[in-house]
Amino acid sequence: MAEIPALVEARLRSAFGEPDARAAVTFLGTDRIEVLRFAEGDLVRYATLGMSAHPMTDPTAVVADPVRGPRAELVLSVRAGLAPTDGVLRPLAVLAASPVVEGLVVAPGASLDVGEPLWEGAPFTSVLVAEPGGLVEDLELDEPMDPVRFLPLLPMTANEAAWKRVHGAAALQERWLARGTDLRDPLRTAVALD
C-alpha cells in the first residue's frame, strides 16, 4: 500500500511535469495528505496526494475493506496570477481527507463544501466533482484493487451549489457550457441561473 502515493505522484508528474511547490497536512486519525502545485502556462493545477492510499468505504458498510473500493485524488485547475489561489492548499487537503474523516465516497456529480472561501476573497466555498479521464488517466493498480481516478474539481458559488442541489450536476454543467463560463477563472461570478 505504501507504494500507491509514489505511483500517483509519478502519474501526476507524467501529466503535468514537475511540481513547483507542495504542502502537507495531517489531520488527527488520518495519514498525511499532500497538495502538489503545477504551473502550466497561464494555469496553475493543484493535485492531492495521499487520498488514494486507502479505498473509500461506504459509510453504511459494517466492515471497511482494506483493499477493495474506489480510490481517487482531486485536481483543481485555475488561471494563474488573478487571485491568491495558493490559499486553496488547506481546503483541498480537507476535502481529500473527507473519505477517512467523514466516511464520504467522493464520486463524479458530488458537491463538496469546505464552509469557507477556497482562497482569500474567493466567491466559492464548494466544488462540483467532475468526471475523470480528461486531465490525468486512471492509474491501474494490482488486482483486486480499484484504479485511482483523478477527479477534476469545478468551483461553485453558493447560488450555483443551491441550484445544483435542485436541478442536478448535469444541468449545472450544461448551464455553464451554454453560457461559455470559464470555470478556471478564480474571480468569475455565478452563471445566470434564471
Side-chain angles (χ1 to χ4, degrees):
M1 299 291 186
E3 75 275 2
I4 292 174
L7 295 171
V8 168
E9 184 168 351
R11 176 59 55 94
L12 289 168
R13 287 173 185 262
S14 70
F16 301 137
E18 289 297 310
D20 66 350
R22 66 193 311 140
V25 179
T26 304
F27 301 98
L28 188 62
T30 68
D31 293 337
R32 175 172 136 141
I33 300 285
E34 290 188 76
V35 179
L36 309 181
R37 184 182 71 190
F38 300 88
E40 187 180 316
D42 70 336
L43 292 178
V44 177
R45 299 190 195 278
Y46 300 94
T48 62
L49 180 61
M51 179 178 172
S52 62
H54 304 284
M56 293 181 276
T57 304
D58 183 338
T60 62
V62 177
V63 177
D65 189 323
V67 177
R68 291 181 179 86
R71 295 174 189 264
E73 297 290 352
L74 308 174
V75 180
L76 174 71
S77 301
V78 293
R79 298 223 176 277
L82 301 177
T85 56
D86 281 351
V88 79
L89 298 174
R90 183 167 176 74
L92 273 181
V94 167
L95 295 177
S98 63
V100 172
V101 174
E102 299 177 33
L104 294 178
V105 175
V106 178
S111 299
L112 303 175
D113 196 316
V114 293
E116 61 185 40
L118 293 177
W119 53 83
E120 186 180 342
F124 320 105
T125 62
S126 62
V127 294
L128 175 65
V129 181
E131 290 291 334
L135 289 174
V136 185
E137 284 184 41
D138 290 354
L139 174 63
E140 297 295 330
L141 300 175
D142 294 338
E143 291 291 336
M145 292 186 283
D146 288 17
V148 176
R149 301 172 80 200
F150 296 87
L151 302 172
L153 301 180
L154 309 174
M156 293 188 294
T157 66
N159 286 345
E160 290 170 338
W163 197 86
K164 182 254 176 196
R165 280 192 294 277
V166 173
H167 301 281
L172 179 58
Q173 289 179 302
E174 286 171 19
R175 179 65 52 111
W176 281 334
L177 188 61
R179 299 284 204 281
T181 306
D182 181 0
L183 297 173
R184 295 174 175 169
D185 181 353
L187 302 174
R188 76 172 180 84
T189 56
V191 70
L193 298 170
D194 49 8

